[in-house]
Amino acid sequence: MSGTPVFVMNTAPERQSGRKAQISNITAAKTVADVIRTCLGPKSMLKMILDPMGGILLTNDGNAILREIDVAHPAAKNMIELSRTQDEECGDGTTSVIVLAASILASSLSQLERDIHPVVIISAYNKALREALGIIDRVAIPVNVNDDEQMLGIVKGALGTKFVSRWSELMCKLALDAVHIVAQNSQLTSPESQATSTFSSTTPTIDIKRYARVEKIPGGSIEDSRVIRGIMLNKDITHPGMRRRIQNPRIVLLDCPLEYKKGESQTNMEFSKAGDWSRAQEVEEEVVKAMVETICQVGCDLVLTEKGISDLAQHHFLKHNVSCIRRVRKSDNNRIALAVGATIVNRVEDLRESDVGTGCEEMRVDKIGDEYFAILAPCTSPRACTILLRGPSKDILNEVDRNLQDAMSVARNVIMDPRLVPGGGAIEMAVGVGLAQAAKRGTPPIIILGKEGTKENIITGVETGPFLAVAEAMEVIPRTLVQNAGGNAIRVLTELRAKHTSSMSTFGVNGDTGKIVDMKEYGLWESASVKVQILKTAVEAARMLLRVDDVVQAVRKERESGGGAPMPEEMMEAQ
């Protein structure tokens, strides 16, 4: 008729239903977890992944690995999404959440085989999650976020399992310095934003991604990395005659071009005298000169603009002994404004004395590696910063960057929720033992919204099995830590369980030796908010996948041979 191809749905699509679909989903989740199980703990192994463009990814970060893996099974895609959510929310625990979710799903398989309905299992999981969060609240201890030694210990715990653990002292200081600088910004801006925001809260938002930029420059050694209390741009000054080092510069930030504005559409000019042509050119020059004069009236030493600067404007700036940098990125311009206390101006005519930034002690242009960098540092009260990373190769720098982002996220989480729980699988074992004891009692003692003893909180006979299954699933984290360290999992877990049953809830696994150790003496603490998020995400994923009882794969009908144009897939194969 119109020649448009019509895709007819297959009358008999590939379909899995009932128990078969649930087993398929659980198997897919376990397969994803098996890929990154060895990436947990300080003795974790690295994965080398070749991306479709031919690049190499070398990492043990759960999210970075799963992001690159191409999977077809819908349940596996859902599991990979968990890791991404955890990374965005907390920055840490991306491997743990996958391993734990797969373990909870695997433990539900035996419950399904006993013909327990998925709704009953999900109800038990809800009660188990409430009980687990209550146990974390009991075990958690408060932390003083202004105590640098305590904070360094927490960040070091997060970096102990990463590639940069050799330089953990340096990386922890970098992460902590950067977060403290950005946190000052959020503390300064939070009252105003809370007054105007509908979703205001007492907790400040610490925006690491926007205000703490990481600049990776191959060359040198990792020990040369540092936090610059200011801004670093991969830019050089526009004219070779301009000053490359200025003490206490007065900085003007612009969002407009410093060149004659051309007509937006085709413009025709008709001249009746020969002198008019030269006059038209003089007018263009006068406009540019007037713009430069207006800017120089505020007594600036450095001009940065997001747009272009014409040669004539550069010439006039040079006569006024003003340095220029052009085509600055919007995000960089915003950070410079925060660091030096300037205001970004959209029109030259609107420039005022108060818009000039004076919070920078020195501006200099340095050559680092093969490129020139403009450095505005140190700043008197920076509310944004730059982290300069050096290293032997791009692959290693990318991995260091990923680890540093995790460290900054952990520091941010502790500042926003200053509670700690023991690491090394101690909190998971404490939750597991606590759930087992609650199952024996029948009613959890935790008061949730005053509902203690009500019907919602009582564990009935059928729900006891799934409730205990969660308790067993929690032990997967300490078990994996022991296995990755090459220890005897059965013996160590039995000892650890005995300690926790005797209310020694701070005992965990030493990831280096595979033996049990008191985390108070070992000094390994983790942010409670990360553990809470891991639990919530893992249980929610298990609940969602258990609700699936039918997987229908809609396949496009195979085209008749010799009829019409080839399908896109066939065209790709032909190439």
Side-chain angles (χ1 to χ4, degrees), residues 224-274:
D224 299 335
S225 304
R226 65 184 193 274
V227 172
I228 297 169
R229 292 181 64 82
I231 306 300
M232 181 174 174
L233 303 171
N234 190 357
K235 295 279 179 188
D236 194 2
I237 52 171
T238 55
H239 194 285
M242 291 175 177
R243 287 183 291 171
R244 303 172 77 86
R245 185 179 290 265
I246 306 170
Q247 295 293 330
N248 297 314
R250 289 171 59 81
I251 299 168
V252 169
L253 302 179
L254 300 173
D255 184 18
C256 58
L258 296 177
E259 51 199 6
Y260 185 74
K261 190 178 178 185
K262 303 290 188 293
E264 290 183 7
S265 58
Q266 189 175 352
T267 310
N268 293 324
M269 296 175 72
E270 292 184 8
F271 299 106
S272 55
K273 294 199 293 282

Side-chain angles (χ1 to χ4, degrees), residues 5 42 51 72 79 84 90 110 161 169 235 248 349 351 374 380 436 439:
D51 65 22
M79 290 293 286
R84 191 180 63 80
C90 299
S110 58
T161 64
E169 194 78 34
K235 295 279 179 188
N248 297 314
E349 293 78 13
L351 189 62
T380 48

Side-chain angles (χ1 to χ4, degrees), residues 37-40 99 475-485:
R37 193 182 298 278
T38 54
C39 296
L40 193 69
V99 171
E475 295 181 7
V476 73
I477 302 291
R479 187 187 305 117
T480 306
L481 285 173
V482 177
Q483 286 169 347
N484 288 352

Side-chain angles (χ1 to χ4, degrees), residues 200-220:
S200 60
S201 65
T202 52
T203 312
T205 305
I206 301 171
D207 196 341
I208 297 166
K209 282 184 181 174
R210 189 178 296 177
Y211 300 130
R213 178 172 172 76
V214 178
E215 198 71 58
K216 297 171 284 192
I217 307 173

Side-chain angles (χ1 to χ4, degrees), residues 438-570:
K440 286 176 189 171
R441 283 194 308 269
T443 307
I446 315 298
I447 300 175
I448 291 128
L449 301 175
K451 292 180 182 176
E452 186 182 8
T454 61
K455 201 170 183 181
E456 286 184 29
N457 241 17
I458 296 170
I459 304 162
T460 59
V462 187
E463 288 178 344
T464 310
F467 196 89
L468 282 169
V470 177
E472 286 173 29
M474 295 303 295
E475 295 181 7
V476 73
I477 302 291
R479 187 187 305 117
T480 306
L481 285 173
V482 177
Q483 286 169 347
N484 288 352
N488 186 332
I490 296 171
R491 182 179 297 161
V492 173
L493 278 183
T494 307
E495 287 177 33
L496 191 58
R497 203 178 291 114
K499 292 278 186 190
H500 280 267
T501 310
S502 310
S503 298
M504 298 181 185
S505 58
T506 56
F507 272 81
V509 177
N510 180 341
D512 288 315
T513 61
K515 305 281 173 52
I516 66 166
V517 64
D518 190 349
M519 289 298 156
K520 279 183 184 171
E521 295 168 16
Y522 191 57
L524 179 57
W525 296 90
E526 296 186 54
S527 170
S529 62
V530 174
K531 292 295 178 189
V532 166
Q533 185 66 30
I534 286 172
L535 267 175
K536 285 181 177 175
T537 311
V539 173
E540 183 60 46
R543 279 162 40 186
M544 191 170 73
L545 287 178
L546 279 174
R547 281 187 188 274
V548 176
D549 70 339
D550 215 331
V551 179
V552 182
Q553 191 170 351
V555 185
R556 285 176 181 169
K557 191 176 180 183
E558 301 258 344
R559 298 180 70 84
E560 302 279 335
S561 58
M567 296 282 282
E569 293 87 348
E570 293 166 14

Side-chain angles (χ1 to χ4, degrees), residues 268-301:
N268 293 324
M269 296 175 72
E270 292 184 8
F271 299 106
S272 55
K273 294 199 293 282
D276 290 351
W277 169 245
S278 57
R279 177 63 192 143
Q281 289 180 312
E282 284 171 17
V283 169
E284 288 189 14
E285 292 177 9
E286 284 167 12
V287 168
V288 172
K289 186 179 178 182
M291 290 166 76
V292 173
E293 294 291 343
T294 308
I295 294 167
C296 294
Q297 276 175 3
V298 295
C300 60
D301 298 308

